[in-house]
């Protein structure tokens, strides 16, 4: 469990430049750490835990296999010049099924889930602080940055410092898009926990600072899609909140931030108003051009398996910037089917958990998981989140927790149905 907890710190906070470019395929410490944790969990799996029986694990494997098929198809179509990049991408994409397998092996009690979520939020706050740090003092945090293509580490830092601070975007050690996804997932989760009437899952003293830090990290990414998605899901959380003091307090804070001149408002609105040199209209225009290019040039013979995320950049010199278009371009018909399966299963799991209001974790995740689906579908208009490794790591992790809770509830309701296949042990007393 300790290895699983610190896996997120290894992925999100590792100083990349210590090893980047020195090992084959740019293998880094986080790659080694995740693989080692996966091997240990497979070898030392608890008695009665069968990860293969978990639907979420099989779904994660199929997700990875579709990326394998798509990129192989792309190499047959466009040549083998990007073979090394494809292998590197597939190794990183393997984080998704490995994460689900690790979680399936270790999250076997309510107490384990509580402990894990606490440390996941701490890791998210640390990633948010690192992202903000790379904006405020890029040279101080330069060791965490991966150089851009065609730019050395020194040149990239010069470019960042050369731009006005408002135009810089949080990168952290995983890049702006991944940092914004981490902050979105965990800011919504922490706000959801705060909105509960009784703070039995985590204390208010813990949740409030964590929420503020993660939300600040999201603001520093200046990612329009994730910020709008947070606004949408936060509104849903607050207006159905059991804790009305949180609703009133949040409305007062938002009102003060919007009607007064302050750096937070400037930071949040900069990429909408054009203060950074980019506006929402210009972003939409650029994306529209990319979408039109893909639709005009996409070869019908690629419709079945797609062309793969890596080969798409190699052949078309662009990414889809849209998860719905990305499903077709990268993974073909199978990618569209995968998205439909994920959406349908998410709705099914959420509806099952919401029925168990008497069990706290079921209530928490039964209401959080549809929020995650809403913001995944929302930001999917501007980024290919259902094809992104970190997004799917987190999303399928929460899906796995939902699946385990459903199995535990079914086993508690009808002990005769309990087959011992990777359910959560009913240890609710540990949460008190």
């Amino acid at each position: 469990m300790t290895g699983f907890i610190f896996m997120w710190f290894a992925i999100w906070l590792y100083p990349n430049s210590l090893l980047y470019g020195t090992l084959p395929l740019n293998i880094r410490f986080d790659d080694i750490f995740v693989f080692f944790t996966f091997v240990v969990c497979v070898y030392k799996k608890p008695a009665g835990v069968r990860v293969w029986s978990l639907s979420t694990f099989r779904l994660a494997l199929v997700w990875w296999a579709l990326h394998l098929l798509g990129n192989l198809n792309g190499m047959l179509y466009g040549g083998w010049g990007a073979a090394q990049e494809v292998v590197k991408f597939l190794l990183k994409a393997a984080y998704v099924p490995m994460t689900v397998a690790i979680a399936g092996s270790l999250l076997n009690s309510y107490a384990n889930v509580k402990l894990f979520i606490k440390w996941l939020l701490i890791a998210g706050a640390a990633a948010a602080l690192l992202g903000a740090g790379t904006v405020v003092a890029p040279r101080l945090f330069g060791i965490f940055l991966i150089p851009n293509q065609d730019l050395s580490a020194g040149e990239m830092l010069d470019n960042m410092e050369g731009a006005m601070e408002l135009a810089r975007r949080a990168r952290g050690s995983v890049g702006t898009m991944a940092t914004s996804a981490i902050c979105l997932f965990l800011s919504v989760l922490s706000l959801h926990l705060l909105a509960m009437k009784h703070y039995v899952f985590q204390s208010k003293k813990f949740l409030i600072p964590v929420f503020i830090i993660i939300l600040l990290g999201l603001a520093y990414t200046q990612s329009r899609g994730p910020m709008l998605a947070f606004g949408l899901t936060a509104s849903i959380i607050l207006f159905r909140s059991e804790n009305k003091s949180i609703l009133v307090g949040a409305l007062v804070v938002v009102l003060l931030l919007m009607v007064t001149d302050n750096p937070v408002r400037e930071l949040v609105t900069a990429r909408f108003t054009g203060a950074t040199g980019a506006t929402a209209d210009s972003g939409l225009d650029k994306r529209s051009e990319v979408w039109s290019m893909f639709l005009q040039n996409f070869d019908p013979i690629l419709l079945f398996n797609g062309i793969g995320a890596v080969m798409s950049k190699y052949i078309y010199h662009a990414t889809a910037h849209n998860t719905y278009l990305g499903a077709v371009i990268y993974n073909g018909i199978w990618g569209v089917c995968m998205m439909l399966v994920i959406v349908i299963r998410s709705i099914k799991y959420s509806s099952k958990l919401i029925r168990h209001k008497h069990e706290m974790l079921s209530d928490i995740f039964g209401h959080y998981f549809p929020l995650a689906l809403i913001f995944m579908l929302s930001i999917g208009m501007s980024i290919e989140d259902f094809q992104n490794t970190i997004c799917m790591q987190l999303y399928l992790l929460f899906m796995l927790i939902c699946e385990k809770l459903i199995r535990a509830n079914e086993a508690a309701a009808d002990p005769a149905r309990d087959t011992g296949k990777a359910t959560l042990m009913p240890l609710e007393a540990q949460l008190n």
Side-chain angles (χ1 to χ4, degrees):
M1 177 60 78
T2 303
F4 188 34
I5 286 170
F6 284 97
M7 187 182 85
W8 304 104
F9 294 88
I11 298 172
W12 299 346
L13 304 175
Y14 179 66
N16 294 299
S17 60
L18 287 183
L19 280 178
Y20 194 81
T22 61
L23 294 176
L25 298 173
N26 292 323
I27 291 172
R28 304 197 304 269
F29 176 72
D30 52 319
D31 304 311
I32 299 169
F33 197 99
V34 174
F35 182 72
F36 174 75
T37 308
F38 170 71
V39 170
V40 169
C41 287
V42 169
Y43 181 69
K44 291 282 189 180
K45 64 180 180 181
V49 174
R50 283 175 278 175
V51 173
W52 180 253
S53 69
L54 292 164
S55 298
T56 308
F57 175 67
R58 297 196 296 270
L59 188 66
L61 276 180
V62 173
W63 178 87
W64 182 86
L66 290 182
H67 282 291
L68 171 65
L69 285 174
N71 282 289
L72 284 176
N73 199 38
M75 285 192 290
L76 291 171
Y77 179 81
W80 299 85
Q84 181 172 321
E85 288 300 312
V86 169
V87 173
K88 178 183 173 183
F89 170 81
L90 291 172
L91 289 174
K92 191 71 68 176
Y95 277 12
V96 175
M98 284 195 290
T99 297
V100 174
I102 295 167
S105 298
L106 296 174
L107 300 182
N108 294 311
S109 74
Y110 293 101
N112 281 346
V113 174
K114 178 187 176 184
L115 175 67
F116 171 73
I117 293 299
K118 177 179 181 179
W119 279 98
L120 185 66
L121 289 171
I122 292 173
L129 287 172
L130 177 58
T134 58
V135 172
V136 177
R139 288 201 178 274
L140 183 62
F141 294 93
I143 195 172
F144 294 96
L145 300 175
I146 301 176
N148 287 338
Q149 190 175 6
D150 302 325
L151 283 178
S152 68
E155 288 172 325
M156 185 177 69
L157 289 171
D158 289 340
N159 286 354
M160 290 182 71
E161 286 196 334
M164 63 175 182
E165 186 174 320
L166 194 62
R168 303 173 194 164
R169 301 177 63 191
R171 292 177 57 86
S173 60
V174 288
T176 298
M177 187 265 182
T179 299
S180 67
I182 293 165
C183 291
L184 177 57
F185 269 95
L186 300 183
S187 61
V188 172
L189 176 59
S190 51
L191 179 62
H192 175 56
L193 294 174
L194 274 170
M196 296 183 67
K197 189 173 183 179
H198 303 292
Y199 296 102
V200 291
F201 189 68
Q202 299 292 349
S203 71
K204 196 186 301 187
K205 291 180 180 178
F206 170 78
L207 288 172
I208 290 177
V210 163
F211 169 67
I212 292 172
I213 291 170
I214 296 175
L215 191 59
L216 185 64
L218 178 61
Y220 266 105
T221 67
Q222 295 187 322
S223 298
R224 289 172 294 225
M227 286 195 293
L228 289 173
F230 172 79
L232 173 62
T233 49
S235 300
I236 296 172
I237 291 171
L238 291 172
F239 283 101
R240 75 178 187 191
S241 171
E242 298 173 341
N243 192 335
K244 298 307 177 186
S245 63
I246 290 290
L247 171 60
V248 174
L251 290 175
V252 170
V253 170
V254 170
L255 184 63
L256 287 174
L257 289 175
M258 295 309 296
V259 300
T260 61
D261 289 328
N262 59 82
V264 175
R265 186 181 75 170
E266 190 178 18
L267 185 66
V268 171
T269 60
R271 279 175 56 82
F272 294 94
T273 61
T276 62
T279 64
D281 288 340
S282 65
L284 181 59
D285 289 341
K286 290 179 181 177
R287 281 173 167 79
S288 297
E289 291 175 6
V290 171
W291 298 339
S292 297
M293 181 274 294
F294 271 113
L295 292 174
Q296 290 170 6
N297 296 309
F298 186 67
D299 195 323
I301 67 171
L302 301 172
L303 188 60
F304 194 65
N305 287 325
I307 199 170
V310 175
M311 292 306 299
S312 167
K313 288 188 286 186
Y314 182 75
I315 294 172
Y316 295 116
H317 307 291
T319 56
H321 283 84
N322 181 291
T323 199
Y324 308 103
L325 180 60
V328 179
I329 299 295
Y330 300 159
N331 306 119
I333 292 173
W334 297 119
V336 176
C337 293
M338 169 62 71
M339 280 196 65
L340 290 174
V341 169
I342 290 173
V343 171
I344 292 169
R345 185 168 295 177
S346 299
I347 295 171
K348 177 183 175 182
Y349 282 2
S350 301
S351 61
K352 282 189 175 183
L353 286 179
I354 288 172
R355 298 173 199 157
H356 293 272
K357 285 187 173 292
H358 62 281
E359 197 282 295
M360 187 185 61
L361 282 182
S362 296
D363 189 37
I364 289 172
F365 289 102
H367 287 92
Y368 170 72
F369 199 46
L371 293 172
L373 177 63
I374 288 171
F375 66 62
M376 284 286 282
L377 293 173
S378 300
I379 62 175
M381 295 298 296
S382 58
I383 59 176
E384 52 266 30
D385 53 345
F386 280 101
Q387 293 81 38
N388 177 268
T389 295
I390 285 185
C391 285
M392 292 307 292
Q393 252 190 306
L394 289 168
Y395 191 79
L396 292 183
L397 171 68
F398 289 118
M399 178 181 281
L400 173 75
I401 293 174
C402 291
E403 181 182 355
K404 285 207 159 200
L405 287 168
I406 290 168
R407 291 189 177 204
N409 291 333
E410 291 174 348
D414 184 4
R417 293 182 61 185
D418 183 12
T419 60
K421 294 180 181 178
T423 61
L424 287 167
M425 291 181 287
L427 300 177
E428 296 173 76
Q430 296 187 42
L431 295 175
N432 300 323

